[in-house]
Amino acid sequence: MGASASREKFRESVTALIEVDVSADDAEFWDELWKIPSSGEEVFELISPSSARRLRDERFDNLATLFTQATAQLCQIVETPYNIYFDQALNCVRVLTRILPFLLEKGDLGDPDENVDHLCWGTGGAGMLGDERIGLVVGEERGKAATKSNGQGDEEQEPLALLVVHAAMHMLFLPQFTCDFYDENDVNKKVKKAALTKMDKEMRAEAGLAVENVVDGGVVLEPRPTTIVWAPGAGISPHEMGLEMSTRKYDKNRIEVLRLLLAACCDPLFSPADEYNPLASRWLAVSVAADAPNAICLFYSLLNTILNYDPSSMSFNSDSNHIQLVELSAQVLCVLLDCGLPGSPEIVINHDGEPVVEYEQASQGGFNIFRTVLARLNTANEMTYVFRGFAHLLKNVYQSRSTYLPTGTSAKLECFQELLVLLWKFLEENPMFMNHVLTKCNVNELIVPICFLMYQSRRDPAQIGLVHICTFVLLKLSGERSFGVALNKPFTTKLPTDLPLFSGGHADLVAITLHKLVVNGAYKLVPLYSCFLTIICNISPYWRQMSLVAAVKLVNLFELFSSPKFLYSGEHAHRHLALLLEVFNNIIQYQFTGNQHLIYAIIRRKDSFGRLASLTLVKAQAQCHKVYGDHTTVTQDKDARGAPISLVDGEGNTLDDRSEAAGQQFTPTEEWLSEMKASLPLETVTRLLQHLVPVVDDIVARKQGVVDENEILEVLKDVTMVGLLPVPHAIVIRKYQPNQYTALWFTAFMWGVIFLRNQALPMFDGQAIELFQVSVQEEED
């Protein structure tokens, strides 16, 4: 059958399914449907969103037969993986990938439908694998074999939803379809692991995980057989991969099945954001359960496929299938790590020394085997491998723009947003990863691309989510002392952007980037201002030598936030000033030597500090009236509110970081003025100015007003303030505190990215999505 003929035949079959009732016993129709050669593009084009919904709402029996038979064939191909059935299996995969999202619109998190629920989760009368209509398609013997393989009789059938998810996870490791042949004996073969190194033991001890708990049994967390894992790296070394390490010849089939698994996990899309429950989806629950087939192999296959990818070593067109596999692997891994409960990092092994999770824990509601494996990565080699993978891939966001070579000679990474989500998951859920990155690796290799992405995205309303996630990563890291110390390393990278030239360290890069986001960023970044300043404040006690550019930018921010327009924009707007003053105080008290640029910048803008210190209620009300009229009304775009951030100080006290609420009216009062002055730590800067302004004025007077700034800087470099400043204050570090609202924001952001990145074959139709708003631009005639 030619391509055009098969396409027309498939169109006729789809039309028949939508227009008329097709008997489940019509063997000729169904057998022909599954054998019609069809590409993914044809399936998606011919089964349009409106057609899929009509099939679901008007011809549900046809949809039930379609779903049941496709699932049965996938189960059978898993049991008897013969090459002659692979094309037919791919047809089933494509049809299921197309129709599943429309079923899930009426699923656990969407608008529930009794028929859909019974079809997907019913275990009674429908009798999936024992049904006669299955035998009509796949043959009596194959049907019996499939029934036997599931260990189920006709009376107690597993739900179709579970079967399709399990079949997909089996098919990702099907011999000659998605992996090479392997010996059945390898499934239970134990691989001898290298002994723990001194660094491993130290790393575990620092994380409070030095003790290994030995149990009698549990779910083993090692990949078996190792030869089916797609790529070496974390969890598996090259010598465990077998003879042929490169398995890219299976990439095309892997992509098809991963798309099916992604479609089966799209429940969150159909839940309103304020009602989303990460434990409510049964589809996701069976995908991450302890008994999910090949789950450990899938985790390491996805992770290593992503981190092994080298975009600089191939042209964009040289291996497009592999590039697509990398991007889809990142999306699927993000989804699988986003549901259920966090995994426990506690080290538990069986008597053979294999890492396990106890059966009792694995059977609890909300258990996620993927999050458990992530939390249990605990060797220095694995941590270094993961860090280097992230660093190498994220560097591509600016290296791909720096090359002078033709565009086609290097592949540009497009899945950096998914990478940042995965990086966040590692920082959040593996207690050893962040400490290892900060103490054993060069964390600046992550900071440079993050700052570049923030700088480049600051004006683009479509990239607000990207700026948010970069901010979260910086905020998380800034809560650690070793991060602030690491930022002192000199910054020498040439970025392809209009970043101001400066001579300094990576702390300067962070400060200059965040300054630009405030003064030249989109309006929707306003809720992040407190986070920007908190990041700078957290690193300031360790900032040894600030550049001239960064010093001027920080003092400019002080002038900006102390201006009437900002200061009277809301009752709590002065908190920005308090954070900036804390930055200045930290550097003056703890890093005075070497920071003459900041000291001189403060002296030059002394009037800004003086005006704030001498502010009276009359002046405040007059300034507010001049800028805003009789009343200040804070207005905020709904999308500009961002994700609520929860912070705690070093003693565990929760710090309020709320942005101004929309529609609040504000007028300065005596109480407000008193509270503001009490909250602004001006004493250190005031004493500094009292002592050093006369020194600078004297130099200028002696030079009759003609003085080189370098002379002043040299004098300030040698000045000592010992005994002249207040007693040094305690360093306050504000640490990010996980909360359900930030977790929800990450879910919505991640699915928004996945939705937009799957438009070539539009897996999801925006019409029914509730998790975020989808705007469709009408095409002009």
Side-chain angles (χ1 to χ4, degrees):
M1 187 183 293
S4 60
S6 64
R7 176 185 173 89
E8 188 57 35
K9 188 61 182 174
F10 188 78
R11 183 193 299 275
E12 292 173 3
S13 299
V14 170
T15 302
L17 285 172
I18 297 170
E19 299 295 338
V20 299
D21 292 326
V22 181
S23 171
D25 297 324
D26 189 345
E28 183 179 354
F29 175 88
W30 293 107
D31 190 51
E32 188 175 41
L33 172 65
W34 298 121
K35 291 180 179 177
I36 298 172
S38 57
S39 65
E41 289 78 6
E42 290 172 343
V43 170
F44 273 70
E45 179 185 347
L46 298 177
I47 306 179
S48 65
S50 59
S51 299
R53 292 192 177 98
R54 280 188 63 192
L55 185 62
R56 181 194 65 200
D57 299 335
E58 300 175 16
R59 306 284 175 188
F60 188 80
D61 286 345
N62 289 354
L63 176 62
T65 306
L66 186 75
F67 184 37
T68 302
Q69 292 200 10
T71 304
Q73 294 199 59
L74 295 192
C75 291
Q76 188 53 52
I77 200 70
V78 168
E79 178 64 22
T80 53
Y82 301 143
N83 292 21
I84 57 173
Y85 298 120
F86 284 174
D87 288 340
Q88 195 167 327
L90 282 173
N91 282 345
C92 296
V93 166
R94 290 162 186 154
V95 170
L96 286 171
T97 302
R98 186 53 172 156
I99 66 173
L100 272 180
F102 298 98
L103 281 174
L104 268 64
E105 287 179 5
K106 301 289 186 179
D108 292 339
L109 303 182
D111 183 15
D113 181 276
E114 185 176 344
N115 287 332
V116 171
D117 187 75
H118 181 72
L119 172 64
C120 296
W121 297 103
T123 57
M128 184 269 167
L129 288 175
D131 199 305
E132 292 180 1
R133 57 190 164 188
I134 305 301
L136 291 171
V137 179
V138 298
E140 293 295 336
E141 292 185 3
R142 299 181 72 200
K144 292 176 183 177
T147 304
K148 181 180 178 181
S149 71
N150 282 274
Q152 299 288 334
D154 291 339
E155 297 179 359
E156 192 178 331
Q157 301 297 336
E158 291 180 316
L160 276 174
L162 181 144
L163 288 170
V164 74
V165 170
H166 281 197
M169 297 180 80
H170 275 300
M171 291 180 70
L172 287 167
F173 301 95
L174 202 63
Q176 295 302 290
F177 185 71
T178 47
C179 71
D180 289 326
F181 277 118
Y182 59 90
D183 191 331
E184 290 293 337
N185 295 325
D186 291 342
V187 175
N188 297 315
K189 183 179 178 181
K190 299 183 177 75
V191 178
K192 186 177 180 180
K193 295 291 183 180
L196 290 178
T197 64
K198 180 181 179 182
M199 186 181 295
D200 293 336
K201 295 176 181 177
E202 291 175 351
M203 186 173 64
R204 293 183 179 188
E206 289 173 0
L209 299 171
V211 178
E212 293 182 341
N213 299 310
V214 182
V215 296
D216 292 333
V219 180
V220 178
L221 299 180
E222 287 188 343
R224 288 182 182 169
T226 57
T227 52
I228 68 174
V229 178
W230 300 348
I236 180 170
S237 57
H239 76 271
E240 296 173 285
M241 286 289 295
L243 296 176
E244 190 175 354
M245 285 175 49
S246 177
T247 59
R248 291 188 179 183
K249 58 190 175 186
Y250 303 116
D251 284 355
K252 197 169 183 179
N253 289 344
R254 290 168 177 170
I255 290 168
E256 298 269 15
V257 183
L258 280 178
R259 286 169 61 82
L260 172 58
L261 186 57
L262 186 61
C265 293
C266 71
D267 248 351
L269 283 173
F270 310 112
S271 168
D274 55 353
E275 299 175 11
Y276 177 67
N277 179 355
L279 305 179
S281 170
R282 286 172 288 179
W283 288 88
L284 284 167
V286 299
S287 301
V288 302
D291 63 348
N294 301 316
I296 309 301
C297 291
L298 180 58
F299 173 85
Y300 287 114
S301 293
L302 296 175
L303 181 64
N304 295 344
T305 296
I306 298 163
L307 299 181
N308 282 351
Y309 176 55
D310 183 5
S312 63
S313 67
M314 61 179 69
S315 70
F316 183 80
N317 296 317
S318 64
D319 198 352
S320 58
N321 283 334
H322 191 67
I323 295 170
Q324 189 178 353
L325 178 65
V326 171
E327 295 177 346
L328 195 54
S329 295
Q331 293 168 16
V332 171
L333 187 55
C334 283
V335 169
L336 294 174
L337 291 173
D338 191 62
C339 59
L341 300 173
S344 170
E346 183 181 359
I347 299 174
V348 181
I349 59 174
N350 59 20
H351 292 290
D352 293 325
E354 299 170 312
V356 298
V357 57
E358 293 182 87
Y359 292 122
E360 182 180 356
Q361 182 183 349
S363 61
Q364 293 177 352
F367 176 79
N368 183 328
I369 194 163
F370 293 91
R371 296 179 78 169
T372 299
V373 177
L374 171 62
R376 294 281 289 275
L377 292 175
N378 52 31
T379 68
N381 284 340
E382 287 176 324
M383 298 299 165
T384 301
Y385 167 77
V386 172
F387 167 78
R388 287 177 177 170
F390 278 125
H392 182 72
L393 290 172
L394 290 173
K395 282 181 184 179
N396 178 260
V397 299
Y398 62 84
Q399 288 179 341
S400 62
R401 305 188 193 191
S402 303
T403 180
Y404 292 101
L405 297 175
T407 305
T409 59
S410 62
K412 181 182 177 183
L413 184 72
E414 297 291 348
C415 62
F416 51 84
Q417 297 184 93
E418 295 94 315
L419 283 174
L420 288 168
V421 172
L422 288 176
L423 174 61
W424 175 259
K425 294 291 185 184
F426 270 88
L427 292 171
E428 270 287 274
E429 302 200 9
N430 189 299
M432 300 184 194
F433 181 69
M434 183 161 68
N435 184 59
H436 182 78
V437 166
L438 293 176
T439 58
K440 307 299 181 185
C441 306
N442 181 8
V443 70
N444 295 310
E445 293 183 39
L446 299 177
I447 300 309
V448 173
I450 286 174
C451 287
F452 176 78
L453 286 170
M454 296 176 78
Y455 192 89
Q456 292 294 101
S457 306
R458 68 187 186 280
R459 300 290 299 167
D460 186 356
Q463 298 296 328
I464 297 301
L466 173 60
V467 177
H468 269 77
I469 193 171
C470 290
T471 303
F472 289 149
V473 172
L474 289 179
L475 185 62
K476 176 79 175 176
L477 293 171
S478 73
E480 303 297 322
R481 177 186 179 276
S482 47
F483 177 70
V485 174
L487 290 181
N488 286 301
K489 291 183 179 178
F491 173 72
T492 57
T493 307
K494 292 183 179 180
L495 296 175
T497 185
D498 60 346
L499 192 76
L501 295 175
F502 66 93
S503 177
H506 288 79
D508 297 270
L509 172 66
V510 171
I512 293 169
T513 300
L514 297 180
H515 167 269
K516 194 71 171 181
L517 266 65
V518 172
V519 301
N520 189 238
Y523 170 73
K524 291 183 179 181
L525 295 181
V526 170
L528 290 178
Y529 287 178
S530 290
C531 291
F532 296 162
L533 297 175
T534 299
I535 293 165
I536 298 173
C537 192
N538 281 347
I539 65 177
S540 60
Y542 319 108
W543 199 340
R544 296 194 196 112
Q545 194 166 1
M546 187 183 298
S547 69
L548 173 61
V549 176
V552 171
K553 299 296 186 188
L554 287 183
V555 177
N556 283 349
L557 279 182
F558 183 85
E559 285 192 314
L560 178 67
F561 286 123
S562 62
S563 67
K565 182 177 179 180
F566 273 86
L567 187 57
Y568 307 120
S569 63
E571 183 179 358
H572 302 294
H574 58 82
R575 291 178 179 173
H576 296 144
L577 287 173
L579 286 169
L580 276 169
L581 284 169
E582 192 171 327
V583 171
F584 300 150
N585 293 346
N586 284 337
I587 293 175
I588 292 169
Q589 293 280 22
Y590 293 101
Q591 299 291 345
F592 184 86
T593 302
N595 274 303
Q596 60 271 19
H597 288 303
L598 178 63
I599 306 303
Y600 185 45
I602 291 173
I603 293 172
R604 291 193 60 179
R605 308 294 175 85
K606 60 183 183 295
D607 291 344
S608 297
F609 297 92
R611 282 193 297 269
L612 192 62
S614 61
L615 184 65
T616 64
L617 181 60
V618 174
K619 286 183 182 178
Q621 290 176 337
Q623 291 172 353
C624 182
H625 180 78
K626 183 177 180 180
V627 175
Y628 289 108
D630 292 331
H631 293 288
T632 304
T633 302
V634 181
T635 58
Q636 240 181 45
D637 188 315
K638 179 179 71 172
D639 295 331
R641 297 176 191 172
I645 306 295
S646 183
L647 301 171
V648 295
D649 61 19
E651 297 178 355
N653 301 314
T654 302
L655 304 169
D656 192 359
D657 189 54
R658 294 170 296 178
S659 301
E660 303 299 329
Q664 287 183 334
Q665 291 187 337
F666 171 70
T667 302
T669 62
E670 191 67 53
E671 292 76 18
W672 171 84
L673 184 63
S674 299
E675 180 192 340
M676 184 197 75
K677 289 199 170 185
S679 67
L680 297 181
L682 279 163
E683 185 181 4
T684 299
V685 173
T686 301
R687 290 222 198 158
L688 178 86
L689 292 172
Q690 286 173 348
H691 181 72
L692 293 184
V693 169
V695 173
V696 173
D697 287 345
D698 182 60
I699 296 172
V700 173
R702 282 192 282 109
K703 296 286 186 176
Q704 297 180 348
V706 182
V707 61
D708 187 344
E709 288 188 348
N710 289 327
E711 294 182 39
I712 297 177
L713 291 172
E714 284 300 319
V715 172
L716 294 177
K717 187 177 180 180
D718 295 331
V719 165
T720 178
M721 294 295 293
V722 176
L724 299 173
L725 297 174
V727 175
H729 57 281
I731 295 175
V732 177
I733 300 298
R734 296 165 177 82
K735 295 194 175 190
Y736 165 81
Q737 187 77 358
N739 65 83
Q740 60 177 340
Y741 302 106
T742 308
L744 173 60
W745 182 91
F746 268 94
T747 297
F749 170 75
M750 176 193 72
W751 276 108
V753 170
I754 293 172
F755 172 76
L756 292 173
R757 302 268 290 120
N758 284 277
Q759 291 300 308
L761 286 182
M763 287 181 63
F764 313 109
D765 181 53
Q767 181 178 328
I769 290 176
E770 297 283 344
L771 188 62
F772 48 81
Q773 185 176 359
V774 178
S775 300
V776 180
Q777 186 174 0
E778 297 290 339
E779 294 185 6
E780 297 181 3
D781 295 333

